[in-house]
Amino acid sequence: MMGKILEARKALEKIQSGQTLMVGGFGLVGAPLTLIDELTQLDVYNLTIISNNLGEAGKGLGILLRQGKIKKAIGSYFTSNREVGDAYNKGEIDIQLLPQGTFAESIRAGGAGLGGYYTRTGVDTELSKGKEIREINGVRYLFEPALTADVALIKAHKADKLGNLTYYKTGRNFNPIMATAAKYVIAEVDEIVDTGALSPEEIVTPHLFVNAIVLSKKILTKEGVVTR
Amino acid sequence: MMGKILEARKALEKIQSGQTLMVGGFGLVGAPLTLIDELTQLDVYNLTIISNNLGEAGKGLGILLRQGKIKKAIGSYFTSNREVGDAYNKGEIDIQLLPQGTFAESIRAGGAGLGGYYTRTGVDTELSKGKEIREINGVRYLFEPALTADVALIKAHKADKLGNLTYYKTGRNFNPIMATAAKYVIAEVDEIVDTGALSPEEIVTPHLFVNAIVLSKKILTKEGVVTR
Amino acid sequence: MSDEVLTAKELIAKRAASELKENHVVNLGIGIPTLVAKYVQSDSIFFHTENGLLGVKELSDESEYDPFRVNAGKLPVGEMLGASYFDSATSFAMIRGSHVDVAILGTLQVDEEGLIANWAVPGKNIMGVGGAMDLLVGAKKIIVTTFHTNKSGESKLVKKCTYPITSIRKVDMIITELAVFERKNEEWHLIEVMPNATFQQVMDHTEFSFKVDESLTQFDKGLLR
Amino acid sequence: MSDEVLTAKELIAKRAASELKENHVVNLGIGIPTLVAKYVQSDSIFFHTENGLLGVKELSDESEYDPFRVNAGKLPVGEMLGASYFDSATSFAMIRGSHVDVAILGTLQVDEEGLIANWAVPGKNIMGVGGAMDLLVGAKKIIVTTFHTNKSGESKLVKKCTYPITSIRKVDMIITELAVFERKNEEWHLIEVMPNATFQQVMDHTEFSFKVDESLTQFDKGLLR
């Protein structure tokens, strides 16, 4: 059962132009830095990226933006990379901005096989324009469709050889839900342990969600991002 | 911070006639046996019970049914107690039967502040009668409203003094989601540990969901249910 | 395996087990499906139970028994290495979200269109549904394991379900003590006659129309043991 | 606390901190709200950050720094005893599901109706919203902490928001360097003039109409330190 453990390049072979990718992380924290780095080296274009933000100017997913590989970005906070606004103004990319809770919930809904759901968040704001509003028990809710992807690139802390995952501190963020919502899920991890080393109660992402495991080469440390 | 640790009777004082209660457990496994026992001794009527099943004939929630305290039951599998069907035929109780996944998801939606969601489960079956069907991306989905309750009675394994909870094996089932979906949540636990004894990564139900902690007196063992 | 001859139930379960492949995540229904686990040797086939466990295994002995570890039929089970526990919402998210490869289910009826009825009997109160409807819409492949006929001797493989259907999703395979049918191009194909059964028996006890596969085989009698 | 005089920001944060009660679960926005934690002594007030941590505390020293433990403003934080981590969907389920008692937020504008605009400026691309909208609909109580005027000296306490509103949910309290307003019966009530500010200053710099509370107090100058 070593089948899921792959080199980053090998794992990313699945990715093709035109696909939708989910990428975990809240800023650098919990972002799959090794996989993102490798992704910028692939010849794939017209990608739709579902990620809370698009890195910073010329960093992380920001490199992919500069390379002109992104067709559309779905997220909640692109402000961290001023080049996103520039690219949007030039008509180079399409942007779908969602409240962070809606962004997270839509991914969860996608992974849970739901079609969509009703949230109060955003009702009668700029972000509800063109969206269906429905009253349920006297309260106005906004319809939000589920989000799914072809491939998810996520970051976990430990993986066992089956692909069961645990996370570390606020590095968890969008990673466990993205693991449920894509057809092919690649988990970058700090450490690979023997099956049985993780307790059945502490596993956050059961292995049935994970297709490939890649050992991290670029890691976030007190001294910043380092290559190990 | 001992404020949340209460005797069963004290914790249940919140419950009033006419209220909606969620009760955890899949059969006996993960059911809050001490709280259910105490509940049968309260003078409260016209309750709506949201629970996967209603115990067995004259056992657990089945006692409540015999006492005529239940007005309506919402769950997925009442077959385990033949008296439920009898009471329904006599017009004594109202029944809302949901597929088990829909039952679980509606509780989660209630806890997450959603109004409802769309699932494929049950479309064009007896259980979709009178319900809205909507096509999303060419697939037919059923609208299901969220479920919430006044009080939830749940069973966890360990609680720390703040009310953080962990669960044990398949005793987890509906308990963590019910903990999110009621205004007042009472957790019956096998053991109360010091705050800090549970690792921040292993806590399944963070304390903000829990209002009261009660130590189990009736527990499920290899020899059946025993009082300790 | 012992030298004892398998019962019809065991035979069906054993045949169903042979459909499972490495890395499959499999959910077993109540009844005959529960027996399937007994015939799976691989430690890379993973059994999921909707009450919140991935990695179910047969109890190897009494010492492993834990009243807090049961399957969807409330029977005690064991856990394999690498097992994990989760809540019911997550468990059904796995099911509806198509993260379960195969569901093996019992049924009351299965019809020519591929629809099944396995949760309610008309004229009786409908008091339970459990996870059947979710598994039907969510699992990638549905294998129905059932006796070919009911206690009155009527075929369960009917022209059209007269009991309430479980889902509008069509099932992929039927395994009975007489035969194995596979659904191809919206039709049932008889692909195997089970050991000790005859083609004539299958014809006599099947109400729905089916094609006979060119590669139709009589299953190896070795399966009987 | 030191003998140093508080800055206006710190004064606002300290006043906001005094609103928090035992067992409150509190979410702090970016900017002035982040400073609130500094003025909370109780170990039974619990800070929630939407990126997935309940039990945020100030970093006590450098050794506690962990790059994987940040708040919603991406600043490093510590964790208190009894803290827990969870994913973003769970975190916002807590928020939308009304499990957070108080959210303390900054704003660009707050108006007479109680609406706030704190996420977008008209004429500029709308490129970020974060968790503001979810906190507005979900938290039981919303306290706005802000300077009374913007950099151009214009009141941020306006008749009607000209910037895009964050939610149709009305906020409950406004704390500035000049005053504290509380919303009662669909109107703003001036309940306190802050130390070193005057009633006239509040009048001069507030665009929206408000009632003056009978119990209006000048806040204790002791708050300044």
Side-chain angles (χ1 to χ4, degrees):
Chain A
M1 266 311 296
M2 302 289 287
K4 287 187 183 177
I5 304 170
L6 300 176
E7 291 297 316
R9 170 126 334 170
K10 183 78 188 160
L12 292 180
E13 271 178 6
K14 285 270 170 187
I15 299 174
Q16 290 166 22
S17 290
Q19 284 189 329
T20 298
L21 270 54
M22 288 181 176
V23 184
F26 183 80
L28 287 172
V29 180
L33 302 173
T34 311
L35 297 176
I36 290 171
D37 190 45
E38 199 68 36
L39 177 61
T40 62
Q41 294 170 47
L42 291 186
D43 267 340
V44 288
Y45 296 87
N46 289 314
L47 300 174
T48 296
I49 302 289
I50 299 177
S51 187
N52 188 55
N53 37 353
L54 279 186
E56 297 174 27
K59 283 187 188 172
L61 293 173
I63 300 174
L64 222 55
L65 177 70
R66 281 197 182 167
Q67 292 171 330
K69 290 175 178 169
I70 301 178
K71 176 179 64 179
K72 182 178 181 180
I74 303 173
S76 92
Y77 202 75
F78 297 121
T79 325
S80 57
N81 182 351
R82 55 181 161 70
E83 295 180 1
V84 177
D86 299 342
Y88 176 76
N89 285 339
K90 289 188 218 152
E92 289 168 2
I93 60 163
D94 190 11
I95 291 286
Q96 188 182 344
L97 190 71
L98 295 170
Q100 199 169 124
T102 300
F103 176 73
E105 189 65 23
S106 293
I107 294 166
R108 185 202 169 270
L114 305 176
Y117 61 94
Y118 288 98
T119 177
R120 284 173 297 152
T121 305
V123 167
D124 295 330
T125 68
E126 291 279 329
L127 294 189
S128 70
K129 283 187 178 164
K131 293 183 176 179
E132 177 204 331
I133 287 177
R134 172 181 184 149
E135 204 172 298
I136 302 169
N137 297 325
V139 178
R140 287 159 66 78
Y141 291 88
L142 201 59
F143 172 72
E144 292 287 352
L147 288 172
T148 56
D150 296 297
V151 179
L153 311 184
I154 67 161
K155 168 72 171 64
H157 182 41
K158 291 183 189 175
D160 69 16
K161 287 172 182 169
L162 294 179
N164 289 305
L165 306 178
T166 62
Y167 299 87
Y168 180 71
K169 303 205 185 278
T170 57
R172 195 181 297 203
N173 58 67
F174 302 97
N175 291 301
I177 49 176
M178 288 181 173
T180 70
K183 291 190 201 86
Y184 191 81
V185 175
I186 309 170
E188 168 175 346
V189 301
D190 296 320
E191 193 184 342
I192 299 170
V193 300
D194 281 338
T195 299
L198 303 176
S199 113
E201 312 279 3
E202 74 172 321
I203 291 166
V204 175
T205 296
H207 64 75
L208 85 177
F209 291 120
V210 179
N211 300 94
I213 307 162
V214 171
L215 199 58
S216 269
K217 282 191 182 148
K218 295 190 74 168
I219 49 172
L220 181 62
T221 68
K222 287 190 182 189
E223 287 73 39
V225 178
V226 301
T227 302
R228 71 171 179 190
Chain B
M1 269 310 297
M2 301 290 287
K4 288 186 183 178
I5 303 170
L6 300 175
E7 290 297 314
R9 171 126 334 173
K10 183 76 188 160
L12 292 180
E13 272 179 6
K14 286 272 171 186
I15 299 175
Q16 290 166 22
S17 290
Q19 283 189 330
T20 298
L21 271 52
M22 288 181 178
V23 185
F26 184 81
L28 287 171
V29 180
L33 302 172
T34 311
L35 297 176
I36 291 170
D37 190 45
E38 198 69 35
L39 177 63
T40 63
Q41 294 169 48
L42 292 186
D43 267 340
V44 288
Y45 296 87
N46 289 316
L47 300 174
T48 296
I49 302 289
I50 300 177
S51 187
N52 189 55
N53 37 354
L54 279 185
E56 297 174 30
K59 284 188 186 170
L61 293 173
I63 300 174
L64 222 56
L65 177 71
R66 280 196 183 168
Q67 292 171 329
K69 291 175 177 169
I70 301 177
K71 176 180 65 177
K72 182 177 180 179
I74 303 174
S76 92
Y77 201 76
F78 299 120
T79 325
S80 57
N81 182 351
R82 57 184 160 66
E83 295 179 2
V84 177
D86 299 343
Y88 176 76
N89 285 340
K90 288 187 219 153
E92 290 168 0
I93 60 163
D94 190 12
I95 290 286
Q96 187 182 344
L97 190 70
L98 294 171
Q100 198 169 122
T102 299
F103 176 73
E105 189 64 23
S106 293
I107 295 166
R108 184 200 170 271
L114 305 177
Y117 61 93
Y118 288 98
T119 176
R120 285 174 296 153
T121 305
V123 167
D124 295 329
T125 69
E126 292 278 330
L127 295 189
S128 70
K129 283 188 178 164
K131 293 184 176 179
E132 176 205 330
I133 287 176
R134 172 178 183 153
E135 204 171 298
I136 302 170
N137 296 327
V139 178
R140 286 160 66 78
Y141 290 88
L142 202 59
F143 173 74
E144 292 287 353
L147 289 171
T148 56
D150 296 297
V151 179
L153 311 183
I154 66 161
K155 168 74 169 64
H157 181 43
K158 292 183 188 175
D160 69 18
K161 286 169 182 171
L162 294 178
N164 289 305
L165 306 177
T166 62
Y167 299 87
Y168 181 71
K169 302 201 185 282
T170 59
R172 193 180 302 202
N173 57 67
F174 302 97
N175 291 300
I177 49 175
M178 288 181 173
T180 71
K183 290 190 201 83
Y184 191 82
V185 175
I186 310 171
E188 167 174 347
V189 300
D190 296 320
E191 193 183 345
I192 298 171
V193 299
D194 282 336
T195 299
L198 303 175
S199 113
E201 312 281 2
E202 77 172 318
I203 291 166
V204 175
T205 296
H207 64 76
L208 85 178
F209 291 119
V210 179
N211 300 94
I213 306 162
V214 171
L215 200 59
S216 269
K217 282 189 180 149
K218 295 191 73 167
I219 48 173
L220 181 63
T221 69
K222 286 189 182 190
E223 288 73 37
V225 178
V226 300
T227 302
R228 69 171 180 188
Chain C
M1 292 296 129
S2 77
D3 249 15
E4 230 173 303
V5 172
L6 297 184
T7 64
K9 279 185 183 184
E10 290 168 331
L11 181 66
I12 294 168
K14 190 173 174 188
R15 177 60 186 83
S18 73
E19 287 296 313
L20 305 180
K21 297 183 177 61
E22 292 290 288
N23 294 320
H24 266 170
V25 172
V26 183
N27 185 295
L28 302 178
I30 298 171
I32 298 176
T34 305
L35 302 176
V36 172
K38 230 165 69 175
Y39 299 99
V40 171
Q41 309 305 329
S42 166
D43 58 1
S44 34
I45 290 174
F46 306 98
F47 292 102
H48 171 272
T49 181
E50 60 264 34
N51 53 318
L53 166 57
L54 175 65
V56 179
K57 74 171 187 66
E58 297 278 291
L59 275 185
S60 49
D61 59 63
E62 186 60 24
S63 73
E64 237 185 14
Y65 169 58
D66 186 320
F68 272 83
R69 191 173 53 213
V70 300
N71 66 14
K74 290 171 188 155
L75 298 172
V77 293
E79 72 191 39
M80 64 188 289
L81 214 60
S84 56
Y85 293 96
F86 30 83
D87 67 53
S88 302
T90 304
S91 188
F92 281 95
M94 290 172 178
I95 291 170
R96 273 192 322 264
S98 296
H99 305 289
V100 170
D101 297 297
V102 182
I104 304 180
L105 304 170
T107 200
L108 299 167
Q109 296 181 321
V110 49
D111 73 14
E112 193 163 308
E113 232 193 307
L115 301 178
I116 70 165
N118 76 344
W119 69 289
V121 177
K124 289 200 184 172
N125 287 328
I126 293 180
M127 282 294 142
V129 54
M133 288 188 176
D134 301 284
L135 282 162
L136 256 290
V137 301
K140 289 185 204 158
K141 181 177 180 173
I142 306 273
I143 300 174
V144 169
T145 56
T146 178
F147 285 126
H148 214 97
T149 52
N150 65 19
K151 283 170 187 165
S152 320
E154 296 156 345
S155 181
K156 296 174 85 169
L157 285 56
V158 299
K159 202 79 187 162
K160 193 166 172 54
C161 288
T162 53
Y163 295 174
I165 59 166
T166 309
S167 172
I168 53 173
R169 186 260 172 87
K170 294 161 184 175
V171 303
D172 303 285
M173 186 175 246
I174 307 166
I175 301 174
T176 78
E177 77 282 19
L178 300 182
V180 180
F181 296 90
E182 201 171 28
R183 194 144 186 97
K184 303 177 196 169
N185 305 315
E186 298 286 308
E187 287 180 312
W188 285 118
H189 287 245
L190 175 65
I191 61 164
E192 287 170 27
V193 173
M194 290 289 268
N196 282 3
T198 64
F199 180 75
Q200 192 58 46
Q201 280 178 305
V202 177
M203 289 294 287
D204 291 349
H205 294 99
T206 307
E207 200 185 280
F208 63 52
S209 304
F210 57 88
K211 293 216 162 157
V212 178
D213 216 63
E214 283 179 16
S215 60
L216 174 68
T217 52
Q218 174 97 36
F219 211 83
D220 183 357
K221 301 239 175 193
L223 188 73
L224 279 170
R225 289 185 190 275
Chain D
M1 290 297 126
S2 76
D3 248 14
E4 231 174 304
V5 172
L6 296 184
T7 64
K9 278 185 184 183
E10 289 167 333
L11 181 68
I12 296 169
K14 190 172 174 189
R15 177 61 187 81
S18 73
E19 287 295 313
L20 304 179
K21 296 181 178 61
E22 293 289 288
N23 293 321
H24 266 168
V25 172
V26 183
N27 185 294
L28 301 178
I30 297 171
I32 298 176
T34 305
L35 303 175
V36 172
K38 231 163 70 173
Y39 299 100
V40 171
Q41 309 305 330
S42 165
D43 59 359
S44 33
I45 290 175
F46 306 98
F47 292 102
H48 171 272
T49 182
E50 61 263 37
N51 54 316
L53 165 59
L54 176 65
V56 179
K57 75 171 185 66
E58 297 278 290
L59 274 187
S60 49
D61 58 60
E62 185 61 23
S63 73
E64 236 184 16
Y65 168 57
D66 186 320
F68 272 83
R69 191 173 53 213
V70 299
N71 65 15
K74 291 171 190 158
L75 297 172
V77 293
E79 72 191 40
M80 63 189 291
L81 215 61
S84 56
Y85 293 95
F86 30 82
D87 68 53
S88 302
T90 304
S91 187
F92 281 94
M94 291 173 178
I95 291 170
R96 271 191 324 262
S98 295
H99 306 288
V100 170
D101 297 297
V102 183
I104 304 181
L105 302 171
T107 200
L108 298 168
Q109 296 181 321
V110 49
D111 72 13
E112 193 162 308
E113 232 194 309
L115 300 179
I116 70 165
N118 77 344
W119 68 288
V121 176
K124 289 198 184 173
N125 287 327
I126 295 180
M127 283 293 142
V129 54
M133 289 189 175
D134 301 284
L135 283 162
L136 256 291
V137 301
K140 289 185 201 156
K141 180 177 181 174
I142 307 274
I143 300 175
V144 169
T145 55
T146 179
F147 284 126
H148 214 96
T149 53
N150 65 20
K151 283 171 189 164
S152 321
E154 296 156 345
S155 181
K156 295 174 86 170
L157 283 58
V158 298
K159 203 79 187 161
K160 192 164 173 54
C161 287
T162 53
Y163 296 174
I165 60 166
T166 309
S167 172
I168 53 173
R169 186 263 174 85
K170 293 159 185 177
V171 302
D172 302 286
M173 186 174 247
I174 306 167
I175 301 174
T176 77
E177 78 282 20
L178 301 182
V180 180
F181 295 90
E182 202 171 29
R183 195 150 186 92
K184 302 178 196 170
N185 305 316
E186 298 285 308
E187 285 179 313
W188 284 118
H189 287 243
L190 175 66
I191 61 165
E192 287 169 27
V193 173
M194 290 289 268
N196 284 0
T198 65
F199 180 73
Q200 191 57 46
Q201 279 179 306
V202 177
M203 289 294 286
D204 291 350
H205 293 100
T206 306
E207 199 185 282
F208 62 53
S209 305
F210 57 88
K211 293 214 165 158
V212 178
D213 216 62
E214 285 177 19
S215 61
L216 174 68
T217 52
Q218 174 99 34
F219 213 83
D220 183 355
K221 302 240 176 192
L223 187 73
L224 280 171
R225 288 186 190 274

